[in-house]
Amino acid sequence: MSGLVLKGITKKFGGTYAVEQADLTFGEGALTALLGPSGCGKTTLLRMIAGLEAPTTGAIMLGKRNITDLPAHKRKFGMVFQSFALFPHLSVRENVAYSLTISGVARTAAAEKADTLLDLVQLSQMGDRRIGELSGGQRQRVAIARALAQEPDVFLLDEPMSALDAKLREEMQVELRLLQQRLGITTIVVTHDQREAMTMADEIVVMSNGRVEQKGSPQDIYHRPENAFVADFIGKANFFDGISEKGGIKVRGRTLAAEPGFHAGYPVRVAIRPERAALDDTDGPNRLNATVTFVRDLGPHREYHLDTEIGPMIVEYAIGEGLSPLAKGDKTEVRLPPDALHVFPNTTAMAAE
Ligand code: ATP
């Protein structure tokens, strides 16, 4: 096997596209997160990969093999669902061994294999328990062990952490990622939680309205968003509407030094991350007058809400970064380093023209 490739995958339900023209490569041994808001098509895409849903058009390749029409049970893909879908009347060991026994593996061999897998997910003492006697995190580990029993070529997980509370979820993200790296298994995880995607993934596929907006490493997606949707959905961003001109962008009568990338007169949206705007005395372009309208202390970070010459803006500082604290009503200056400005076409303004 060498990776999973989707070629022009589309899924239509009635007249609506749930997934539109997805061309994606999932690297062998990599963990890829499908990330996007509710209804963007990520589960439909995962279900097509699993063979639980037939694509309307396009092809799914596993290495050189076209598996588009291969039924789910012949794909050798392991799946973990949101609900875990464990059998409550079976023991933990029997749950893990289930797929092996129904595919003809002898009972003792299946139980031995199950014990090895339970060891892998740190549940070696729990084989005899019933599912009802486990915590949420332990159930999730059983679901993972069960999905790994068939030594799948590809491991698919649909919102695997959503039944867990916030703290446990973070622990399980790290645990799952370490396990996946140890096994080197090609893995695809559906999530709507960007922190989860950034914690676990080698690559993130950001989706909206059935379309792939961007695919890249967590660093790429955060620092080099390719469009306004990605900049807005991943992390926080301040947005300003403006017009491209030579060497800059005009926003509310001010020209910001920036690399516009568009011809003069083009409507654009400028974005800057709250931690990239600076409230310091360093000389540089794009200094704006500002008034502090609100201060939010978030423990390790402090957020300053500003009213600036070009509109409202949020600036974030890590505590200990050396900035003297500002208070509501203080006058200050905010600096927008040109290399921190992302400039995108303003599709809404263009559509209105
Ligand atoms: P969520 O995070 O809420 O699960 P999602 O990103 O996984 O959302 P999908 O479940 O893939 O989104 O749904 C994508 C779109 O396709 C939605 O508009 C949904 O209503 C529609 N859809 C999904 N399954 C079906 C179906 N079987 N019949 C009709 N429409 C469907």
Side-chain angles (χ1 to χ4, degrees):
M1 189 209 124
S2 60
L4 184 73
V5 180
L6 308 188
K7 294 182 176 172
I9 288 289
T10 290
K11 180 71 189 181
K12 254 174 133 176
F13 290 113
T16 1
Y17 286 97
V19 174
E20 209 175 332
Q21 204 57 31
D23 288 293
L24 291 167
T25 299
F26 300 92
E28 187 167 4
L31 191 151
T32 308
L34 302 179
L35 174 69
S38 184
C40 71
K42 47 196 191 301
T43 295
T44 303
L45 191 59
L46 194 80
R47 287 174 58 79
M48 287 192 280
I49 294 169
L52 300 171
E53 203 80 71
T56 309
T57 61
I60 303 174
M61 309 290 296
L62 185 64
K64 290 200 167 69
R65 199 165 161 221
N66 186 332
I67 60 162
T68 319
D69 299 321
L70 198 67
H73 65 277
K74 293 201 172 152
R75 285 192 191 196
K76 222 174 159 240
F77 288 6
M79 267 204 94
V80 173
F81 298 95
Q82 205 163 342
S83 59
F84 309 155
L86 297 168
F87 304 117
H89 57 288
L90 298 183
S91 70
V92 166
R93 182 179 297 104
E94 286 163 344
N95 262 279
V96 176
Y98 181 78
S99 66
L100 298 170
T101 42
I102 60 162
S103 63
V105 177
R107 242 167 223 292
T108 30
E112 270 172 33
K113 177 90 185 269
D115 281 340
T116 312
L117 287 160
L118 287 172
D119 203 23
L120 193 69
V121 296
Q122 299 164 43
L123 286 181
S124 45
Q125 307 302 317
M126 309 257 172
D128 295 324
R129 287 211 191 168
R130 300 271 138 191
I131 296 302
E133 296 167 340
L134 301 183
S135 72
Q138 289 165 340
R139 285 177 205 202
Q140 202 223 29
R141 291 192 198 140
V142 177
I144 290 170
R146 188 182 60 176
L148 293 174
Q150 295 274 20
E151 295 176 12
D153 292 330
V154 180
F155 192 24
L156 306 173
L157 302 101
D158 190 358
E159 301 273 5
M161 314 288 173
S162 58
L164 310 178
D165 66 47
K167 194 160 180 293
L168 182 60
R169 196 181 313 165
E170 296 216 341
E171 286 168 18
M172 290 303 295
Q173 287 161 7
V174 174
E175 202 173 290
L176 180 60
R177 173 57 163 164
L178 290 173
L179 178 66
Q180 183 272 335
Q181 282 177 322
R182 191 138 52 98
L183 299 175
I185 182 167
T186 307
T187 301
I188 305 171
V189 180
V190 161
T191 180
H192 63 273
D193 176 348
Q194 54 161 297
R195 275 175 70 92
E196 184 163 299
M198 295 192 86
T199 304
M200 299 202 295
D202 295 294
E203 287 212 295
I204 298 177
V205 175
V206 183
M207 296 181 66
S208 91
N209 285 326
R211 279 189 301 274
V212 173
E213 296 283 353
Q214 188 171 349
K215 177 172 185 271
S217 69
Q219 290 285 319
D220 267 344
I221 299 276
Y222 185 81
H223 295 290
R224 288 171 286 283
E226 282 172 7
N227 56 47
F229 175 84
V230 175
D232 196 23
F233 188 71
I234 307 290
K236 292 182 201 152
N238 296 290
F239 282 97
F240 306 96
D241 289 349
I243 299 290
S244 176
E245 46 180 51
K246 198 165 176 286
I249 311 290
K250 191 157 211 154
V251 183
R252 289 209 195 170
R254 275 285 309 247
T255 296
L256 301 177
E259 195 54 63
F262 301 97
H263 61 73
Y266 207 81
V268 292
R269 298 197 82 193
V270 183
I272 184 165
R273 299 281 184 209
E275 72 279 11
R276 293 300 311 276
L279 295 165
D280 56 21
D281 296 331
T282 315
D283 272 344
N286 302 340
R287 298 188 72 84
L288 306 170
N289 292 317
T291 307
V292 179
T293 56
F294 189 72
V295 181
R296 200 151 84 111
D297 261 309
L298 296 165
H301 295 106
R302 184 170 292 141
E303 239 180 46
Y304 291 108
H305 295 222
L306 307 175
D307 189 15
T308 80
E309 291 171 63
I310 61 167
M313 187 183 311
I314 294 175
V315 179
E316 188 179 277
Y317 266 82
I319 300 299
E321 265 189 286
L323 177 80
S324 326
L326 295 165
K328 184 175 171 208
D330 284 354
K331 303 266 183 229
T332 185
E333 279 189 334
V334 60
R335 184 171 58 85
L336 311 183
D339 69 345
L341 297 176
H342 303 281
V343 185
F344 308 113
N346 185 344
T347 42
T348 321
M350 285 188 294
E353 270 179 5

